[in-house]
Amino acid sequence: MKSIKTSPHVPTKIEVKEIGLNRVQISAYPFEFGYAITLAHPLRRLLLGSSVGSAPIALKIAGVAHEFDSIRGVVEDVSHFIVNLKAIRFTTKDDKESITIDYKFNGPKVITGADLENDMIDIATPDTHLATINEDASLNFSIIIRKGIGYVASEDIRPDVPEGFMVLDAYFTPVTNVTYTTENILLEDDPNYEKVIFDIQTDGQVEPLTAFKNALSVMHRQMAIFNSELNIEVSEASDGEEDIPEMKVLLQSIDSLNFSARCFNCLDRSGIRYLGELVLLSEDQIKNIKNLGKKSLDEITMKLDELGYPVNKPVSKDLAIRLKKKFSN
């Protein structure tokens, strides 16, 4: 049932589930109708376009003049070698934006991504084939690996590459796939609220959850320009904490929880009136409540477990802020 509001409902739930190698599903809800896709679409674009990855941008092979040449003693020609090299995903081990690495291999040998790993880089795709060297042959080459975002064509990279290197198109993005779906959910008899579900997969250079966090950070930084000039005041959601289901639970009064008279009196004399106040306390803080004996402590511990808020299990940062603000009034 629709109600009159002065601001949209603020989502309170998020769920993260690993569903495969380098793949997670992230759900958030409940959104007002139309808000889920409004946020999901730009986040998808940012995941694909602003996630930082590493890629080879230039290659030099001993005895090779150009990318259409062949390599003596190597099964693959240069163009095939470059295709294989681009399929290998590199992760730099330090904060350097660009590194140059020299390699030397003697045959007979089958070279894979794992053979390129050293103290400067990790390889996210160790099984990817690079080249096959014949007997009595050697392969010497150098790669320039650069950090970046998105796709950059070779002609745009050329000015940054030293003489003697072949310039490569660079596909930096570590996020290989992002999809999202929305579905209706029920909130207080209103079936028109929405849930958004992201499905994110990376190539192993970065964890998908980390990529999602980075995309959110980029979105915040992009929008901060408006605040710098317009001094926007971000107010709390004005539809009230009571509209958040979890807040309703945590705002239950202590006298409604059926504590024993001794336990209730200890809490009451200590000024604890609501369940949320208990949930915010650590085990040591509860133990230090004046005149609280072991039996009452066990009773409180059992009650919090029963309600889904075990002692010392922290609530979300946002929820803790809301509770503290509520109880400080």
Side-chain angles (χ1 to χ4, degrees):
M1 181 181 220
K2 286 263 184 190
S3 60
I4 297 174
K5 299 179 181 179
T6 57
S7 68
H9 180 79
V10 177
T12 56
K13 303 287 187 180
I14 183 167
E15 298 168 356
V16 179
K17 181 168 62 175
E18 290 189 15
I19 56 175
L21 181 64
N22 299 317
R23 185 179 174 190
V24 299
Q25 195 174 79
I26 301 172
S27 306
Y29 60 96
F31 289 92
E32 293 276 1
F33 179 75
Y35 278 62
I37 193 170
T38 300
L39 293 173
H41 188 66
L43 273 174
R44 179 180 183 273
R45 295 192 65 174
L46 289 172
L47 275 161
L48 292 171
S50 66
S51 296
V52 177
S54 299
I57 65 166
L59 168 69
K60 180 167 64 175
I61 305 175
V64 168
H66 52 76
E67 61 187 279
F68 303 108
D69 208 344
S70 60
I71 312 171
R72 192 187 71 80
V74 178
V75 173
E76 293 78 8
D77 59 21
V78 176
S79 59
H80 193 178
F81 183 93
I82 290 173
V83 170
N84 291 346
L85 179 64
K86 288 181 177 180
I88 296 172
R89 307 307 287 166
F90 299 83
T91 304
T92 57
K93 291 183 178 180
D94 54 35
D95 293 329
K96 291 182 179 178
E97 289 192 358
S98 179
I99 58 174
T100 302
I101 307 176
D102 302 318
Y103 293 100
K104 181 176 181 179
F105 297 101
N106 296 313
K109 182 173 179 59
V110 175
I111 306 172
T112 65
D115 297 305
L116 304 184
E117 193 163 298
N118 57 32
D119 57 355
M120 288 189 285
I121 58 165
D122 286 323
I123 303 297
T125 53
D127 298 327
T128 301
H129 177 79
L130 178 60
T132 303
I133 309 175
N134 296 326
E135 193 173 356
D136 299 326
S138 62
L139 175 61
N140 301 335
F141 61 95
S142 301
I143 309 171
I144 300 176
I145 298 170
R146 184 78 183 263
K147 286 183 178 180
I149 60 174
Y151 168 81
V152 182
S154 58
E155 55 263 32
D156 297 319
I157 296 172
R158 194 173 303 279
D160 299 327
V161 173
E163 184 114 12
F165 279 82
M166 294 176 282
V167 185
L168 310 177
D169 295 336
Y171 186 72
F172 296 106
T173 304
V175 178
T176 57
N177 190 44
V178 184
T179 60
Y180 65 83
T181 57
T182 62
E183 58 185 47
N184 285 4
I185 61 170
L186 183 68
L187 179 65
E188 295 183 352
D189 299 325
D190 188 343
N192 294 315
Y193 283 85
E194 293 179 333
K195 178 179 187 178
V196 62
I197 305 164
F198 290 93
D199 189 332
I200 306 168
Q201 186 154 21
T202 70
D203 59 16
Q205 289 188 69
V206 64
E207 295 289 331
L209 184 57
T210 300
F212 187 73
K213 290 178 181 178
N214 291 341
L216 288 168
S217 177
V218 170
M219 177 181 278
H220 287 159
R221 291 198 301 272
Q222 292 290 315
M223 297 184 72
I225 181 61
F226 298 106
N227 190 48
S228 67
E229 292 296 327
L230 304 178
N231 297 319
I232 299 167
E233 292 185 10
V234 180
S235 60
E236 295 291 327
S238 58
D239 56 348
E241 285 91 348
E242 292 79 5
D243 288 341
I244 301 172
E246 195 165 8
M247 283 293 288
K248 285 188 172 183
V249 175
L250 293 170
L251 291 177
Q252 292 181 81
S253 63
I254 291 297
D255 59 6
S256 70
L257 299 179
N258 298 319
F259 282 122
S260 66
R262 180 178 178 81
C263 182
F264 171 77
N265 289 335
C266 284
L267 295 173
D268 187 56
R269 282 194 294 268
S270 298
I272 297 173
R273 302 284 185 268
Y274 300 99
L275 171 62
E277 292 178 280
L278 260 184
V279 169
L280 291 175
L281 297 179
S282 67
E283 184 176 9
D284 287 339
Q285 288 173 318
I286 295 174
K287 285 180 180 177
N288 289 330
I289 293 174
K290 191 174 181 180
N291 297 325
L292 188 75
K294 185 179 184 308
K295 190 172 180 181
S296 293
L297 175 63
D298 291 342
E299 186 179 348
I300 291 171
T301 301
M302 189 178 301
K303 177 62 70 173
L304 292 179
D305 282 342
E306 178 188 320
L307 294 171
Y309 296 96
V311 176
N312 284 336
K313 180 183 178 181
V315 296
S316 69
K317 185 177 179 181
D318 178 66
L319 190 58
I321 291 171
R322 287 175 179 272
L323 286 170
K324 288 175 182 176
K325 182 178 178 181
K326 183 77 176 177
F327 300 139
S328 65
N329 291 338

